[in-house]
Amino acid sequence: MVTVAGAIGLACLLGWVAIVTTGLSFVVVTTGSMAPTIPAGGLAITHAVRAADLHEGDVVTVPRRGSALPVTHRVVAIDRVAGDRAARSLTLRGDDNETDDRDPYVVRDAGLVLAHAPALGTVLVALTSPVARGLTVAAVGALVAWAFWPDRPRAEDA
């Protein structure tokens, strides 16, 4: 049991190191605007790229003006920004939307979606909830206590 817990912990640590060193990010898609490509509750893995390297048809995550949450939509048009060689004005649209987003997004870089998986975002949110974190701490504490609990002396040893 302790070996399994250690293996899971090691896998988590190695995954975290891989994400930090490669610059990848996880984005949980909370709306159905990208369905069926990325349904609500899906998890997108993004990599930061320069806006100048984007192409029409790419799926990107960019900051949304006036909101703490970013938007993940498909690029339908890219325009240069006067006076800023690195910036691009992106016209985006969700795959399930009939019209482009109302305002373009002016960015210097964006999160390019490399891969996605349905429902994993919902699982990730559940696993990072305060209740799940508390249960995980309690379970790890119980495993540590069990692993180091002294053995009872047997009747034949006495």
Side-chain angles (χ1 to χ4, degrees):
M1 185 71 112
V2 174
T3 303
V4 172
I8 291 171
L10 181 61
C12 290
L13 180 64
L14 292 176
W16 178 80
V17 168
I19 288 168
V20 169
T21 59
T22 61
L24 298 177
S25 297
F26 292 128
V27 176
V28 177
V29 177
T30 58
T31 69
S33 66
M34 278 303 293
T37 307
I38 310 172
L43 181 71
I45 300 173
T46 67
H47 184 265
V49 297
R50 296 180 308 153
D53 294 334
L54 295 173
H55 304 285
E56 289 182 13
D58 288 342
V59 177
V60 297
T61 298
V62 295
R64 183 186 323 238
R65 196 173 340 146
S67 175
L69 297 176
V71 62
T72 300
H73 280 170
R74 190 172 302 277
V75 177
V76 294
I78 303 172
D79 296 306
R80 292 185 179 270
V81 175
D84 191 341
R85 295 180 63 200
R88 296 294 184 269
S89 177
L90 306 178
T91 302
L92 304 180
R93 179 190 302 175
D95 287 357
D96 199 37
N97 295 346
E98 294 181 9
T99 60
D100 297 342
D101 293 359
R102 185 178 61 171
D103 297 318
Y105 301 86
V106 177
V107 296
R108 291 173 156 234
D109 53 89
L112 178 64
V113 175
L114 302 176
H116 52 84
L120 282 184
T122 303
V123 172
L124 183 64
V125 168
L127 290 175
T128 58
S129 72
V131 171
R133 288 180 182 188
L135 291 173
T136 301
V137 168
V140 169
L143 280 173
V144 169
W146 176 66
F148 291 104
W149 198 265
D151 289 336
R152 285 189 199 172
R154 295 184 201 158
E156 59 195 45
D157 292 340

